[in-house]
Every structure is written in structure tokens, then in C-alpha cells.
Amino acid sequence: MSAEPAAALSAALSADNPLSAESPLPYRLPPFADVTLEHCREAILAGMAGQRAELAAITGSAEPPTFENTVVALERSGALLRRAEAVFGNLASSLSTPRLREIERELAPLEAAHADALRLDPVLFARIDAVHEARHAAGLDAEAVRLVERHHLDRVLAGARLDDACRARLSELNRELSELSTQFGQNLQLATEAAAVRVADAAELDGLSGEEVASAARAAADRGLEGYLLPLLLPTGQPVLAKLRDRELRRRVFEASAGRASAGEHDNGPVAARIARVRAERARLLGFATHADLVLADQTAGSTAAVDAMLSSMVGPSTANARAEAEVLAEVAARDGVTDLAAWDWAFYSERVRAERYSVDRAALRPWFELDRVLVDGVFRAAELLYGFRFTARPDLAGYHPDVRVWEVTGPDGAEVGLYLGDFLAREGKRGGAWMSSFVTQSRLLGTRPVVVNNLNVAPAPEGRPTLLTLDEVDTLFHEFGHALHGLSSAVTYPRFAGTAVPRDFVEFPSQVNEMWATWPEVLAHYARHVETGEPLPADVVAAIEAARLWGEGFATLEYLAATLLDQAWHRITPETEIGDPAEFERRALEEAGVASDLVPPRYRTTYFQHVFAGGYAAGYYSYIWSEVLDADTVEWFREHGGLRRENGDVFRERLLAVGGSVDPLEAFRAVRGRDADPGPLLRRRGLAPA
């Protein structure tokens, strides 16, 4: 950093702001105990000012543009802003408060304008353009050439070639989008908390375990309420729907979930519609027919036509599978006198079918899946066997909340790798779902090692009792840890390429691969032990779980496709499209796509589709199943080569995880698989083709 920007930063920060300098803690872990929200706000504002000064130093240079004085200088810029935004962004997702939301609303348009200053500055783009033109003759290595190409493409797609008037309009749209996305996320969090279902009589909770009833009582007490409270998780389908015997309560839970943020002061319908329209106008301004076309221009799928071909091929088979499952469920429900099977009945009777047909009672499996044992003896152990990573608890290092735990990660030779933080329990102020993010990303240029965090939303156990997971939560933990491994394995020079900085429709691939180890025999046998007796999960139960694997795939695929096609519908509109009532737009979109079903609603409906309206998956929710093509084929590769072996792990880590975005992602896939992906394994996995 030049002297002038450094002086500007120091003048803008209070002397006691702990974010003003690199953290002295191991791996630059933020000093959470010392950081306040006001420190974050101040540091983000100063960080933006400082990076603008660094940008001015680059564009004001009298030296001809080179890779070092332009592109590398950009990679080095914004250190304070990176630190502050990493802390604040994670707190916004995991520990939200009224004051934090107020700051978030204040900063959103400023951060959007700052991003535009970095992407749309015509002088900076001219310098990058010159470096791009000369990149092959400049003696750069392959990673450096790709870095130049990425910075150039980022700015072209962001609008750097627009004239002054169009750039000004683009900045207005980007600022509005940042405000709307913040509003959508805050509405959803508040609406989800408000929609938690109150229960007066414990008898209504019949079907839940004693621990789950106690958790519901504690959730009510935490809010100063009498009785019991069933908080909602992010997707439409709530886990308790598979267990509650009281049909009326199932209906209440389902309707609370499906109706979230759809009326009143936190109504996200108009917000979503406006977001879609602004995105459509922005895409038109940038020369694309729709926002989906803009997004696909920089994804591995390449075009909306490729996405359509994949999705449309699955609609018919998944709809037929779901219809066949519904017929089975209706027969089972009729034995209870239920002649009008409804969406809130599906999970309950589906579990009964699993129990009757396959002898699998998934609710009864929870005592074999104690959180810490799954994590240490399952997730961590698989990573050690496969990659040589070791995880050592660091109770001396504090997270941002008492629930957060910290582990140091070392490699097979004992070398330092990074830190892993785990924040697994649900609480008020934490957004729904599960995710991975970073506080520090790996970079040889900056001399940094990764500090990553996984968030889940597991219901806390009663005081003094161990936390138990469902089988789905076990899969989720392995999945999110796959993202963490992507970040921890990073071995790139430039921060632009670190870890999960890959196309959206590729980022889910490594995490989905990691799910395979959850039921790999030698891994499952090590962690699936009864919490009280220590007995392993019986072999016949394991066999039954495998036998039941295809049951429910019709529902699972259809609810996912419905959400994916809804995402595409919202992001295929043009500025002239008449949206009308957002709920009616959603209904028409699902019907036209052939996935409308009263029994199988979308995994996310418009008003709580956080991925696409307040996250990074706009027009990209298809990426889960697109990535699953790569995942299923890679699972075949592991099986063909002996499964959980260090040799396989080394290949996957070195050729794919470690390179992050520094190589073309499909080239990285081919470097492992030896060819392009075959969709056959995915179709067989989901019951869409003969096994």
C-alpha cells in the first residue's frame, strides 16, 4: 500500500478499532471479543475510502500499465475492507440484531456504489484492457494469465464498456438491488421468527421425542412465552412434519412455513418482483436478453438452452415418480381415515412407508447420530483418511458466539493449514439454512492461510443432554464440510481464485462429493454409535437405509425442480413483462413448467427464496443439480479406484480442490475423471433411469 492511502486510512479510523490492523491471533482470526458493530461500521467506511485511494493510485500512475502495477495492485488492495466485511457479513448471517440490521441497510447502497467504482472506472478498465491485450506476450505464468482474463471479463460483464450515461444508470440499478436484497433478507428473518408455531398443550406434540419437546419448551421460554414453540427452518418442508401425529398441527406448521413473508409488514412478494424487474433492466442495459442469459454467460453450463435441456429432461420422470409415491402414501393414509392427502401429510406418511417397507424409522435413528461424534469420528476422520488433515480443538481461541468452536487444521506432515470454526446450533438472530463462509481466504500473494466457518441450524438439546442429528442433518454436515475442505485445501497465489471462488454451478460439486463419506461403511461404522450404549448402528438398519435410498426421490427431485424452474421464471422476464400479483406469477410459472403440485410444493417459494433474492444464486439455483452430474460421476470414480484412500484424496485435492478458480473448472474435473462428465450416474441415483 502506498503511503498516501495508508495515511488516509489511519486518519479515518479511531485509535482503538481492533480491525485497523491485521489480527495478532493465529491465522489472523478476528479478535471477536474486542470487535463491536460500531467498529465494523467504521472500518467498512474507512476501508472503502482506503481502497478508493488505492484505486486512484493505480489509475493515476504515469507508468504504462503492467500486470504488477495494475492487476496485482488490485489484488493487494482493500485489506481493511476485506477484514471488516468478512466479520460484519458473517455476523449479519449468524448473530443479527436490530442495530446490525440498521447498519446493514445503511451500508448496502454504499457498498454497491463502491463495487461499481472498482468495476466500472473507465481509466482502470483501460489499463486492465491493455494488460489483457498483451497477456500472452508478457511472460506470465498460467495462473497470472487467467487472473488477467478474469479481471477483464468481470468488468466487461459488469458494464465497463458502457458509455457514461449507461454506467450512471447501471450504478443506480446496482444500488437499488443492494437495498432490495438487504430488505428481502431482513424481512425473511423477521417473518420466519414471527411465524414460529405456538403450541399450548404438550399432547399436540405427540410423535416428537422427549428432547424435542423440551427444546420446544425452551424455545418458548427464551421468548418469554408459555407452552411450546416450533421455530421454522428455511425450506418449505419442516422436519417436524415427518413426526407430528396431530394432523391439525401439521397443517398449521406447513401453512406457517409456506406462507412466510407473504403478507403484512414483512411481505417479500413486491420486493421479489421489484428485484426481478431491476435485474431484467440491468441485463438489457448490459446487452443480454434476460438476467438468466447474463448469469449463464459466466457459468460452466454456458447458456440457458443447456440448462433448459437438462431440467426439461427431468420433469417428466420426476413428476411420474412423485405421482407413484403419492398413490402409495394415499393408501397408507387411508388406514388412518385420511381420504384427502395434503402437502402437510406427505413427510409423515412417507416416513411410515420407510418404516413398513424398509424397516427404517429415521426419527428413531437420532440416538446414533450425536453431533460431536459425527463431527469428530465421522467428518474429521474421513478428511484425515482421505487428505491427511488433522483437527485439533483450540478452546483458547474464541468465536463470535459461545456456540462457536474453533479447531486448528494441520496437514499430513504437521504443517499449518488453517482454522475451522463450527457454529452448528439454531438461535434467534441466525438466518435459516446451512452454509460455509470465510473470515480469511488463502493467498500466497498476501501470505494468508484460510479461516473458514460452517453454519448449521440444529435444534439445541436440553441442558446437559447431547445434541442429536437427523440423518438429513448428518448429510448436511458432510455437505457443508465439503465446502470447508474446498477453502482449507486452497493453494493459489491470488485471492481472486481462493477456495470456493469458482462458478456458481461448480461450487456445489466438491461439497456434494463429500456427502458420499457419510454412509461409507468404514466411516459410518466409526461414528454411528448409540449415544447411551455405544453400540454401533445395526448392520440390518444400515442395509435398510441403503435399500430405501430411492424411496422419496420423486418428491425430492420434483420439489427441487419446482424451485429451480421458479428461479428461472423470475429471471427470464424482460423489463416489459407484466408481473402482476407475485403469487399469481409463481402459480403460472409452475404450471407452465409442468411442476405445479398441491402435494409437492417448491422447496422454496418466492417470498422465502433467500438463495435467489438475497443470496448469490439468482438464475443459478439449477447449479445444485448441474453440479450433481459431476458429483455422481466423481463418486463412481472414487468407487472404481478403491474409495477412501489417500491416493484418491491426493488426486482430488491437488487437481481440483487446491486450484480453486485458477484453472477452468471443467478442466479441473477432467484432470480427475479423465473425461467429460457422464449424466448416467446421476439419473440412476435419482431413479430417473434404470439402475
Side-chain angles (χ1 to χ4, degrees):
M1 183 185 294
S2 65
E4 183 180 348
L9 290 182
S10 63
L13 284 172
S14 58
D16 64 346
N17 192 316
L19 295 171
S20 62
E22 293 288 0
S23 170
L25 296 175
Y27 302 92
R28 306 187 192 183
L29 177 72
F32 296 111
D34 301 327
V35 178
T36 67
L37 292 178
E38 304 311 319
H39 287 142
C40 291
R41 175 185 177 277
E42 179 186 71
I44 289 173
L45 292 172
M48 288 190 286
Q51 193 169 29
R52 296 286 187 98
E54 292 170 315
L55 175 61
I58 295 170
T59 57
S61 172
E63 297 294 323
T66 67
F67 175 69
E68 288 292 334
N69 70 20
T70 301
V71 178
V72 173
L74 273 174
E75 288 288 290
R76 291 186 181 277
S77 72
L80 172 61
L81 185 59
R82 269 196 302 274
R83 284 196 300 275
E85 286 188 325
V87 173
F88 186 74
N90 278 283
L91 294 181
S93 296
S94 306
L95 206 64
S96 184
T97 64
R99 175 56 179 154
L100 187 148
R101 291 190 287 271
E102 181 182 354
I103 295 172
E104 196 176 22
R105 290 190 295 270
E106 173 196 2
L107 293 178
L110 301 177
E111 290 175 311
H114 180 69
D116 282 344
L118 295 179
R119 294 178 299 189
L120 302 181
D121 184 285
V123 179
L124 177 61
F125 180 68
R127 291 183 69 89
I128 293 173
D129 200 33
V131 176
H132 182 262
E133 185 70 22
R135 68 193 183 281
H136 293 303
L140 303 177
D141 64 23
E143 186 178 349
V145 170
R146 184 165 174 82
L147 183 68
V148 174
E149 292 171 345
R150 289 307 315 176
H151 273 284
H152 191 266
L153 182 61
D154 288 347
R155 284 160 175 79
V156 169
L157 292 178
R161 285 179 169 158
L162 297 176
D163 61 28
D164 289 347
C166 289
R167 279 201 303 272
R169 178 56 181 156
L170 183 64
S171 292
E172 291 175 3
L173 296 174
N174 288 340
R175 185 162 51 250
E176 184 178 0
L177 279 174
S178 72
E179 294 171 344
L180 289 167
S181 294
T182 298
Q183 181 184 354
F184 187 98
Q186 293 189 357
N187 278 350
L188 177 55
Q189 182 179 328
L190 294 171
T192 298
E193 291 175 358
V197 177
R198 292 185 64 180
V199 179
D201 187 351
E204 295 180 76
L205 300 176
D206 184 26
L208 300 188
S209 69
E211 290 183 357
E212 289 169 319
V213 172
S215 179
R218 188 172 64 256
D222 287 346
R223 296 198 195 180
L225 303 173
E226 297 291 331
Y228 307 87
L229 195 70
L230 298 176
L232 300 181
L233 303 182
L234 188 57
T236 300
Q238 301 297 311
V240 294
L241 293 175
K243 307 169 188 178
L244 290 170
R245 295 192 177 94
D246 187 311
R247 192 181 188 217
E248 174 60 18
L249 181 54
R250 291 203 304 269
R251 182 193 63 77
R252 288 176 56 205
V253 170
F254 173 84
E255 291 182 348
S257 178
R260 273 175 294 168
S262 61
E265 62 176 323
H266 302 309
D267 187 355
N268 265 339
V271 182
R274 181 59 188 164
I275 288 173
R277 188 171 295 285
V278 174
R279 285 173 174 163
E281 182 181 344
R282 184 177 65 174
R284 174 77 59 81
L285 194 62
L286 292 169
F288 293 88
T290 69
H291 182 73
D293 291 292
L294 169 61
V295 169
L296 268 296
D298 192 27
Q299 299 296 314
T300 65
S303 69
T304 54
V307 172
D308 289 344
M310 178 189 65
L311 297 178
S312 63
S313 71
M314 295 182 174
V315 168
S318 64
T319 302
N321 286 3
R323 190 179 302 117
E325 290 170 3
E327 291 174 359
V328 174
L329 297 182
E331 292 176 3
V332 176
R335 301 204 302 258
D336 287 350
V338 175
T339 58
D340 56 339
L341 187 73
W344 48 87
D345 299 315
W346 190 294
F348 181 77
Y349 288 109
S350 185
E351 287 305 304
R352 185 176 292 182
V353 170
R354 279 195 180 89
E356 293 179 358
R357 283 192 173 186
Y358 307 103
S359 301
V360 176
D361 181 352
R362 298 207 296 185
L365 295 176
R366 292 178 71 246
W368 275 272
F369 301 135
E370 190 269 320
L371 171 60
D372 282 5
R373 183 144 201 167
V374 175
L375 180 67
V376 175
D377 294 342
V379 173
F380 288 172
R381 183 170 183 270
E384 181 175 354
L385 292 173
L386 202 58
Y387 306 114
F389 289 151
R390 291 180 173 83
F391 296 79
T392 304
R394 291 291 304 266
D396 57 311
L397 298 178
Y400 49 84
H401 184 274
D403 289 347
V404 181
R405 291 177 283 167
V406 183
W407 288 265
E408 182 172 16
V409 188
T410 53
D413 57 357
E416 296 179 340
V417 171
L419 293 178
Y420 172 75
L421 281 65
D423 184 359
F424 305 117
L425 303 181
R427 60 176 171 271
E428 200 147 332
K430 187 178 187 181
R431 72 172 172 88
W435 65 95
M436 167 267 184
S437 57
S438 300
F439 287 103
V440 183
T441 57
Q442 178 274 333
S443 167
R444 294 192 191 100
L445 178 72
L446 304 180
T448 52
R449 298 186 186 278
V451 177
V452 303
V453 58
N454 273 161
N455 271 267
L456 273 66
N457 267 281
V458 178
E463 190 70 30
R465 298 290 296 166
T467 298
L468 305 180
L469 306 182
T470 65
L471 187 56
D472 286 343
E473 287 168 338
V474 172
D475 287 338
T476 298
L477 180 53
F478 274 87
H479 175 98
E480 295 304 333
F481 191 75
H483 287 305
L485 287 170
H486 205 171
L488 290 167
S489 299
S490 183
V492 299
T493 299
Y494 305 105
R496 172 66 177 76
F497 295 142
T500 57
V502 296
R504 179 64 67 187
D505 61 3
F506 191 81
V507 73
E508 297 297 334
F509 158 49
S511 57
Q512 289 170 332
V513 169
N514 203 62
E515 291 180 41
M516 73 179 292
W517 309 119
T519 52
W520 195 262
E522 62 195 276
V523 179
L524 182 67
H526 203 69
Y527 73 79
R529 302 267 173 170
H530 196 280
V531 67
E532 295 177 356
T533 68
E535 291 297 312
L537 190 63
D540 61 330
V541 175
V542 176
I545 291 172
E546 180 59 26
R549 184 178 61 84
L550 282 180
W551 171 255
E553 277 298 322
F555 176 93
T557 306
L558 185 56
E559 72 157 0
Y560 168 79
L561 287 175
T564 301
L565 290 162
L566 180 60
D567 169 33
Q568 290 295 313
W570 276 114
H571 294 107
R572 301 284 180 95
I573 70 167
T574 68
E576 296 79 29
T577 300
E578 291 293 335
I579 293 174
D581 175 41
E584 177 62 17
F585 178 92
E586 175 182 298
R587 186 194 63 77
R588 289 196 311 269
L590 296 174
E591 285 188 353
E592 291 170 5
V595 292
S597 170
D598 291 337
L599 288 176
V600 187
R603 181 168 173 80
Y604 302 103
R605 295 187 60 199
T606 298
T607 57
Y608 50 93
F609 208 161
Q610 181 169 272
H611 287 74
V612 303
F613 292 114
Y617 283 82
Y621 195 65
Y622 78 90
S623 62
Y624 284 93
I625 206 159
W626 185 270
S627 294
E628 197 178 347
V629 172
L630 307 178
D631 150 41
D633 201 20
T634 301
V635 168
E636 295 281 309
W637 176 84
F638 271 104
R639 293 187 187 280
E640 291 166 5
H641 291 79
L644 193 69
R645 300 169 61 238
R646 270 294 303 282
E647 294 86 348
N648 294 338
D650 287 345
V651 168
F652 194 65
R653 178 178 52 80
E654 292 168 6
R655 298 182 189 178
L656 196 139
L657 297 179
V659 301
S662 67
V663 303
D664 178 87
L666 294 183
E667 287 183 11
F669 173 83
R670 294 184 197 105
V672 174
R673 194 65 176 102
R675 57 165 172 75
D676 289 332
D678 175 7
L682 170 64
L683 297 177
R684 292 189 293 273
R685 173 192 286 182
R686 285 187 171 260
L688 303 179

